[in-house]
Amino acid sequence: MRVSALCRLSRGAAAAPLAGRKGTAPRRGSASAWGRWEKQQAAGEIIQSSKKVLASLQKGHPTFKPTLAIVQASDEDLVQEINQNFAKEIGLHVIHICLPQGSSEDEIVGEILRLNEDPTVHGVALHLSENACSSKILNAVKPEKDVDGVSDVNLGRLVRGDTYNCSVSPTASAVMELLEKLVKTVDGKKVLLVEICGPLEASLQCLLQRKGAMTMSCQWKTQQLQSKLHQADVVVVGSTKPKEIPVSWIRPGTTIVDCYPDFLSGEHGYGQDVKYSNQSAIDAVGPLTIAMRMQNMVKTSERWIQSQQYREWNLHCLKLQPLSPVPSDIEISRGQSPKAVDVLAKEIGLLADEIEIYGQTKAKVRLSLLERLKDQTDGKYVLVAGITPTPLGEGKSTVTIGLVQALTAHLNVNSFACLRQPSQGPTFGVKGGAAGGGYAQVIPMEEFNLHLTGDIHAITAANNLLAAAIDARILHESTQSDKALYNRLVPVVNGVREFSSIQLARLKRLGINKTDPGTLTADEINTFVRLDIDPSTITWQRVLDTNDRFLRKITIGQANTEKGFFRQAQFDIAVASEIMAILALTTSLADMKERLGKMVVANDKNGQPVTAEDLGVTGALAVLMKDAIKPTLMQTLEYVFLYSPF
């Protein structure tokens, strides 16, 4: 999708070098010099205009750094250099992904899909051979990041006239810019497109016809080529002219623009000096296309910033049809057809890359949303609480959902309900589920009440991992020497023994300022490897998300492999875990990891607290909880929305 051009072939003009000083127009009689000067001016104007627009955008968003990723499977270093120079002048950041020549279609598509999902990349461009530009590859580029306008979505928007929300092919834009400079208007002109196909052909035909031009397409091997060339006022070529096609077929006064890939090398097939009827020489102006690409990148950045702003919800609520007598909760829930969760997310202004879809009716919301909306004014926070608990519940969930449905569906006030995920214990007990009731409930009710996205299971796994680490540490310390423990905690890997970051932090807390495992003294090793946990002070219990009364008090460690170490323990309900409380209070993954590390699980024999950080399991706990920290998006009976953060 790169452009060079023959300057206008005008009668009575001879080839001449560029005249005039820098920034000064040459004599009009020199068509080559005049065309080159005008095109340089056009590229410069585009660069300066784009620079001003980007500066204005960054004034309101100082931390914004638009990044263009160029996927290349060729050795065109000059193209890379021009891209880098133009981008630097404007203030854009360019990264080149250089794939090996001959990379397969799947390899190229895989790289494009990776860039699509990279939130730091705002635009994607392709530098591939013509044979590699398959429909699968071109349409793999996300339309919002397609700065070359090669995807079917962008082409469709161009055809419909929606030029604001689409990127137009930089090559097609450069051709139109050249024609505007050279022939002033193409209205009523006959334009012949030779060896141009795919997205470029569609873009050029659309743009030219919109300007009133009559377009024709053909190949170099077309039988009526000579006649078509003679009739054309403008010829746009997409590949090197074969030697057997004489230049004399081109009518004097014809404007020729070439769009073939070798524009920078000068291999255009017309010779170094075209001298037919005193026509002018060829002048390659490919950088104009790259300037147009950078302009597209700035426009893409502008649309990206606008998409990040908070917008009013485009919400389509479903009207309730109350029945009398009122059916059961499950009948009401199943009587309503939930909206697809991706449609739901779009209606409330969530971006496609801000949700992780779980089936048809559930989605996780990525925490990147907080960064995007950090400058937005906070909304009102309404707490629904109860005072006197009852065996069947107090109706907090029902009231919360009813309020949200009234505010959003009937008063047009943007609002959402924030509920906790139901525990399986009460769900299978006398209390039942926690999705609300009647015509104020979350749907699908059974999906909300059972498992949901597995957050409580993650809490159970993390909690019990820590409980297992406590007992395992007590067992190993009671049966092994300091040296054996040290070899287990700091093993030799590939001939090298190193402390992990969490072990270095423990050494610092102990006042041991050493980083080389081989330099610790015997006393320092003893202090490092032994926590000396007092079993009678252990407060950390195992959990289970089921009401099982016979696990309220148990004895663990009765197997022969535990070497006589047994003690009394108990199971709590999963939602009573301290990890659950941390999940409710945490603000980010880093904050959650810090809080998890500070959890006190027991005291040592000197009465000092022992934490999860001392056991070295903080990273493992955070990994188990990395998805649970993300809110879950669902809906209620009237298509109002539910975030279930825990």
Side-chain angles (χ1 to χ4, degrees):
M1 306 308 173
R2 292 151 287 185
V3 172
S4 65
L6 270 73
C7 62
R8 187 172 184 177
L9 300 177
S10 56
R11 292 194 183 103
L18 181 62
R21 293 171 298 176
K22 182 178 180 181
T24 304
R27 292 178 292 105
R28 186 61 191 248
S30 171
S32 177
W34 180 265
R36 183 163 59 250
W37 181 83
E38 283 199 324
K39 295 153 196 171
Q40 290 172 345
Q41 290 290 102
E45 290 172 1
I46 292 169
I47 294 299
Q48 293 304 315
S49 173
S50 300
K51 184 177 181 179
K52 290 180 181 179
V53 173
L54 183 58
S56 176
L57 289 175
Q58 291 180 322
K59 186 176 180 180
H61 304 82
T63 61
F64 177 58
K65 185 70 174 179
T67 299
L68 171 64
I70 300 178
V71 180
Q72 184 167 334
S74 62
D75 297 326
E76 297 180 16
D77 295 334
L78 183 55
V79 175
Q80 290 189 22
E81 183 179 349
I82 297 175
N83 276 304
Q84 291 284 5
N85 290 340
F86 281 13
K88 184 177 180 181
E89 175 69 19
I90 295 173
L92 300 170
H93 177 57
V94 174
I95 56 175
H96 275 93
I97 292 89
C98 296
L99 301 177
Q101 287 189 348
S103 296
S104 68
E105 184 179 66
D106 289 339
E107 289 173 336
I108 297 173
V109 169
E111 187 63 37
I112 293 172
L113 294 179
R114 183 187 67 81
L115 294 171
N116 286 345
E117 297 303 318
D118 188 343
T120 64
V121 173
H122 306 94
V124 177
L126 305 178
H127 268 309
L128 307 171
S129 66
E130 186 175 350
N131 294 333
C133 292
S134 66
S135 177
K136 180 179 179 180
I137 290 177
L138 298 181
N139 285 297
V141 183
K142 197 173 184 178
E144 292 80 4
K145 296 187 178 184
D146 176 21
V147 297
D148 283 342
V150 296
S151 66
D152 289 348
V153 173
N154 274 317
L155 289 173
R157 290 170 179 169
L158 175 62
V159 171
R160 293 197 307 269
D162 186 11
T163 55
Y164 177 79
N165 290 314
C166 78
S167 292
V168 180
S169 164
T171 303
S173 297
V175 170
M176 298 302 295
E177 182 74 16
L178 291 177
L179 293 178
E180 182 179 340
K181 299 288 185 182
L182 298 174
V183 300
K184 305 305 179 185
T185 179
V186 295
D187 188 13
K189 304 285 186 180
K190 294 181 180 179
V191 181
L192 178 63
L193 308 181
V194 184
E195 291 286 349
I196 293 179
C197 57
L200 179 57
E201 179 186 17
S203 300
L204 277 173
Q205 286 187 344
C206 181
L207 294 174
L208 288 166
Q209 291 173 8
R210 197 166 290 164
K211 293 289 186 178
M214 296 176 287
T215 62
M216 302 175 290
S217 296
C218 69
Q219 308 298 315
W220 286 120
K221 296 181 180 180
T222 301
Q223 293 182 354
Q224 296 82 19
L225 177 62
Q226 182 177 2
S227 173
K228 291 184 177 182
L229 285 172
H230 191 73
Q231 295 175 14
D233 300 304
V234 177
V235 178
V236 183
V237 296
S239 66
T240 304
K241 180 185 71 64
K243 294 181 179 179
E244 59 269 21
I245 306 296
V247 178
S248 60
W249 285 11
I250 301 174
R251 178 166 54 88
T254 301
T255 300
I256 305 176
V257 180
D258 57 73
C259 311
Y260 42 80
D262 296 322
F263 69 88
L264 289 173
S265 65
E267 299 175 5
H268 40 66
Y270 292 88
Q272 293 300 314
D273 194 7
V274 179
K275 293 183 179 178
Y276 173 72
S277 297
N278 292 323
Q279 294 167 338
S280 61
I282 294 172
D283 181 24
V285 289
L288 180 58
T289 296
I290 300 179
M292 289 292 185
R293 168 184 284 167
M294 298 304 162
Q295 184 182 64
N296 279 355
M297 181 61 199
V298 172
K299 291 179 179 178
T300 298
S301 301
E302 187 175 15
R303 289 194 293 266
W304 184 87
I305 287 179
Q306 291 176 351
S307 71
Q308 303 300 297
Q309 303 303 308
Y310 177 80
R311 299 189 299 270
E312 291 294 327
W313 291 356
N314 182 26
L315 180 60
H316 301 282
C317 296
L318 185 69
K319 292 184 178 180
L320 291 178
Q321 297 178 347
L323 300 177
S324 182
V326 178
S328 66
D329 289 350
I330 189 66
E331 289 176 321
I332 294 174
S333 174
R334 292 179 176 176
Q336 192 74 288
S337 298
K339 186 180 296 187
V341 72
D342 57 334
V343 176
L344 190 69
K346 185 176 181 180
E347 288 184 351
I348 61 173
L350 294 178
L351 306 181
D353 59 358
E354 290 175 341
I355 60 172
E356 300 170 2
I357 296 177
Y358 285 63
Q360 294 294 318
T361 58
K362 305 184 293 292
K364 282 286 189 181
V365 181
R366 293 177 176 171
L367 301 185
S368 59
L369 174 67
L370 297 175
E371 178 65 22
R372 177 166 71 88
L373 299 181
K374 64 181 181 181
D375 296 327
Q376 297 296 325
T377 304
D378 291 339
K380 303 296 183 181
Y381 183 77
V382 179
L383 177 65
V384 177
I387 297 177
T388 307
T390 68
L392 300 180
E394 302 168 271
K396 298 185 296 296
S397 300
T398 305
V399 171
T400 300
I401 296 170
L403 281 173
V404 169
Q405 291 188 155
L407 288 169
T408 307
H410 301 278
L411 298 178
N412 297 320
V413 176
N414 288 0
S415 60
F416 59 83
C418 183
L419 304 182
R420 73 285 173 271
Q421 180 177 336
S423 168
Q424 279 186 197
T427 296
F428 288 105
V430 66
K431 189 174 183 179
Y439 290 101
Q441 59 176 302
V442 183
I443 57 173
M445 182 180 75
E446 56 269 42
E447 290 192 25
F448 180 67
N449 282 325
L450 305 175
H451 305 296
L452 198 56
T453 50
D455 296 347
I456 292 182
H457 298 316
I459 292 168
T460 302
N463 185 100
N464 293 344
L465 174 65
L466 180 53
I470 295 169
D471 290 316
R473 187 60 175 264
I474 295 174
L475 173 66
H476 290 313
E477 288 189 18
S478 65
T479 59
Q480 296 185 34
S481 65
D482 291 350
K483 182 179 179 180
L485 285 172
Y486 193 61
N487 290 335
R488 280 176 173 266
L489 292 172
V490 194
V492 177
V493 179
N494 296 326
V496 180
R497 174 178 286 185
E498 292 181 335
F499 288 123
S500 66
S501 59
I502 198 169
Q503 289 173 337
L504 289 171
R506 172 164 166 75
L507 286 169
K508 187 176 180 180
R509 290 196 302 274
L510 294 173
I512 303 173
N513 296 316
K514 295 181 180 180
T515 58
D516 184 357
T519 61
L520 267 65
T521 65
D523 289 341
E524 289 172 338
I525 289 176
N526 176 269
T527 303
F528 172 71
V529 300
R530 295 196 178 275
L531 298 179
D532 284 332
I533 297 174
D534 182 355
S536 65
T537 65
I538 295 175
T539 57
W540 195 265
Q541 307 297 341
R542 290 165 172 80
V543 297
L544 184 69
D545 197 33
T546 301
N547 287 345
D548 189 344
R549 64 188 310 118
F550 288 93
L551 294 179
R552 293 176 181 176
K553 188 71 67 175
I554 60 174
T555 301
I556 62 173
Q558 294 189 6
N560 293 332
T561 53
E562 293 4 292
K563 302 178 181 180
F565 171 71
F566 60 89
R567 66 180 182 89
Q568 281 196 341
Q570 67 185 56
F571 272 84
D572 296 330
I573 195 74
V575 291
S577 171
E578 186 176 347
I579 295 178
M580 183 61 134
I582 288 176
L583 185 61
L585 296 172
T586 191
T587 57
S588 66
L589 190 59
D591 176 67
M592 181 175 68
K593 185 176 179 180
E594 182 180 354
R595 290 173 182 267
L596 290 172
K598 292 179 179 179
M599 294 187 302
V600 176
V601 299
N603 291 335
D604 64 18
K605 293 176 182 178
N606 294 322
Q608 297 300 312
V610 177
T611 65
E613 186 83 3
D614 292 323
L615 287 160
V617 297
T618 307
L621 300 181
V623 168
L624 286 171
M625 296 295 296
K626 68 180 179 64
D627 290 323
I629 192 176
K630 302 170 187 174
T632 302
L633 177 65
M634 290 188 71
Q635 58 197 283
T636 69
L637 285 168
E638 289 190 278
Y639 285 173
V640 190
F641 314 104
L642 169 75
Y643 281 89
S644 176
F646 52 86

